[in-house]
Structures are given as C-alpha cells and as structure tokens.
Amino acid sequence: MTTPSAHLAAGIDIGGTKLLGIVIDHAGHTVTVERRTTPYDNDGLVDALVELGEAIRPWDSLGIGAAGLVTHDGALRAAPNLGAVRELPLRARLEARLGHEVVVDNDATCHTVAEWRLGAARGAANAVLVTLGTGIGGGIITNGQLVKGTNGFAGEPGHMVVDPDGPQCVCGRRGCWERFASGAALARFAAEHPDHESLCAAAGKPAGARLRGEDVMVAARARNAAALDIVDTFARWTAIGLVNLTNLLDPEVVVIGGGLAGAADVITAPVQRWYTELLYSPDQRPHPRLVIAQLGEQSGALGAAMLGAGRGWAHPG
Ligand SMILES: [Zn+2]
C-alpha cells in the first residue's frame, strides 16, 4: 500500500547514446540510477526500456523522455538521433510489457519540467528552455502551464528556419536554427575556419583533425583567437533564436540547457552580450533573465519521472 508521500516516481531519458533511468522520492531526491546503451531500432529500444524499467523497480509511476516528435498518446513518430527508430507506439508497447501505465514525452519537454519544478526556472510562470546539444530542443511554460500544442509537438525551436538558404538540416529542410547554434554547428564553424591549424593545436588535436564542439571550447579556454571568433559567431546565432523566442513568448526567464550548458564559462558572456544587443524594444521592457540549467545530466530523467507522476509534480496548482 503506497501513500502519496511515499510515491516513488521512475523516469527514463532516452539519449542519443545512453538510456538513463532514475527513481525519485516525493521530495525529488534520487534513490536509484541505472544506465544502458541506447539501441537504434524499435524492437531493441523497447526491449532495453523494459529491462531497465524492471531493473529500477520498485516504482509507482514511470515516465519516459525521448528525443523526437512524441504524440499525445505516447507514440514516437520520428527520432532523428535514434537511427532506425520511427513510428514506434512506445507507450502502448511498454504498458503491455510492464503491466503498468507509462507516460511518454519529448526529452526537452522533460528537461523543461525538471528545471521549472526544481532548477533554474523554479517559480517562473513564463519560461523558455532550450537544450543546446548535438541539435536543439526546447520547452515552453506559459502562464504556469506546460505548452504541448495540438499534436504534442510544441517546443521545437531547433527547427525554426533562420536562414532559408542555409545548410541542410537533419529534418530535410534548410537553415534551421540548430544548424547554427548547436554542438554540430560549432563543429561546422571549426571545419570551415581559415585558421583551422591553430584551432587544432589549441584544442590539443593533430592538424587537420575533425573537431567537435567541446574541442572548440577547449581552444576557447586557451584564448585561441580562432576559437573565440567561432564562439562569438555561435553566440550571435544562439542569441538570434533566443530573441525570436522572447518576442513570441515574453518569458521572464530563458534557460540554456543541454550539453553546451557545460561550457557556460565560455558561452554565457557572449550569448548575453548578443542577446541584450538584439533584444526587441530593449528600453521598454524588463529584460528576461538568461540563465544556465542547474540539474545536469539527470534533468531529462528527472522531468520524465515528474511527468509520469502527474499532478503535484508536472501540473502544480
Ligand atoms: Zn531542421
């Protein structure tokens, strides 16, 4: 017999490389953490989630966060970073196997709920979160409510087009914001930079190496001019998207999460400078707070657990 205060909420975050499963108690404290490798096909993914769900028992509710388009009834329509996974009725298949109700939502939506309830957007009635990682995800809180949209697809800022003639996106279109303000964008800027050689040296990589976003951050911390140049370009594009979101939603706080939140020491100041410079009507409004997510790598699983537990966590009041 479980009393509400003893409710154990499980959450699993389906990441591009790993599945992270946690169980939290009613106060939000983590009581169990388990990791598995992410399979890239429908059947393999369901099997791995069932195995992980069983491994982290006991729990009273289960929420799943998945990178991709998740419908209101918990089907994963498309998942660009999960290989062959598509058109997967995840909720229905997990409920049949686990014999328990399961909630499935978009991973960035889960991050948003976690940061809103326990992290950097705590107490905000209007907030926007963007996850800057390989791509860009997002979530929106408006008037104290999580915004889901008609199909459950709201909060996909990474695919706002910021340059119709820009580079091709994983979604098949051109010039999406995530081609300019993600880890993949940093890698592209690095590959195209005329002083690639000094960039490689400052990042501690051999000349001609294929650099990743984190390599650019290493070089920027070493004050390499090419890296600082790239960071400034990246910061400007990041701010362009954040300003567009601000114009649309008028948030009191804008949260930057995802892998690049780990480079807050490098990116925060230039993003803030560009954001302030590009903000619409800056003299007529209180400027939204631009902050870094606080909950780290567990925030997706944490938010999934909260969404799975339902009222009280994900839908206060
Ligand atoms: Zn796109």
Side-chain angles (χ1 to χ4, degrees):
M1 191 69 180
T2 304
T3 60
S5 65
H7 187 101
L8 290 174
I12 300 178
D13 181 41
I14 304 175
T17 55
K18 70 173 188 299
L19 308 177
L20 177 64
I22 68 167
V23 178
I24 57 172
D25 66 16
H26 66 283
H29 297 127
T30 303
V31 294
T32 309
V33 182
E34 291 267 350
R35 291 176 180 78
R36 300 288 187 274
T37 302
T38 304
Y40 292 141
D41 63 284
N42 285 3
D43 291 344
L45 182 60
V46 171
D47 287 346
L49 289 169
V50 168
E51 189 277 320
L52 180 54
E54 296 291 1
I56 59 176
R57 282 188 197 268
W59 41 258
D60 301 299
S61 61
L62 174 62
I64 308 276
L69 292 176
V70 180
T71 65
H72 283 303
D73 58 358
L76 189 52
R77 285 263 175 270
N81 297 315
L82 297 179
V85 174
R86 61 178 54 84
E87 299 300 332
L88 174 60
L90 196 51
R91 188 176 87 183
R93 288 186 61 179
L94 291 176
E95 287 183 344
R97 295 272 299 273
L98 290 165
H100 199 286
E101 188 184 337
V102 176
V103 171
V104 182
D105 215 319
N106 172 267
D107 64 337
T109 302
C110 295
H111 286 286
T112 303
V113 168
E115 290 292 336
W116 177 41
R117 303 301 293 144
L118 292 178
R122 199 167 53 245
N126 292 282
V128 177
L129 175 137
V130 297
T131 56
L132 307 183
T134 307
I136 300 179
I140 300 161
I141 306 293
T142 292
N143 299 333
Q145 299 283 328
L146 181 64
V147 175
K148 300 282 294 174
T150 304
N151 303 294
F153 300 168
E156 287 287 347
H159 301 282
M160 298 187 299
V161 173
V162 294
D163 178 1
D165 302 314
Q168 182 127 31
C169 183
V170 288
C171 73
R173 304 175 311 142
R174 286 194 170 278
C176 293
W177 185 37
E178 71 171 39
R179 293 301 94 198
F180 297 91
S182 62
L186 283 166
R188 180 168 66 85
F189 296 148
E192 292 170 355
H193 200 280
D195 199 7
H196 192 257
E197 198 175 323
S198 84
L199 199 51
C200 288
K205 300 285 176 180
R210 201 184 153 103
L211 300 178
R212 306 196 307 166
E214 58 212 59
D215 299 319
V216 177
M217 294 302 152
V218 169
R221 289 188 185 103
R223 311 305 298 168
N224 171 263
L228 294 173
D229 189 26
I230 290 169
V231 168
D232 190 61
T233 302
F234 163 85
R236 180 166 174 252
W237 280 113
T238 300
I240 285 170
L242 297 181
V243 164
N244 287 346
L245 291 169
T246 301
N247 289 342
L248 193 65
L249 299 164
D250 189 20
E252 61 193 82
V253 57
V254 176
V255 183
I256 297 178
L260 281 165
D265 58 318
V266 177
I267 66 170
T268 304
V271 171
Q272 178 72 66
R273 182 166 45 74
W274 278 112
Y275 181 77
T276 304
E277 181 163 334
L278 295 168
L279 196 61
Y280 168 64
S281 202
D283 301 332
Q284 281 75 43
R285 69 189 308 155
H287 292 200
R289 286 184 294 123
L290 195 58
V291 297
I292 299 292
Q294 295 174 350
L295 300 174
E297 66 147 12
Q298 287 189 8
S299 79
L302 209 48
M306 292 174 184
L307 282 163
R311 188 162 290 279
W313 273 123
H315 307 287

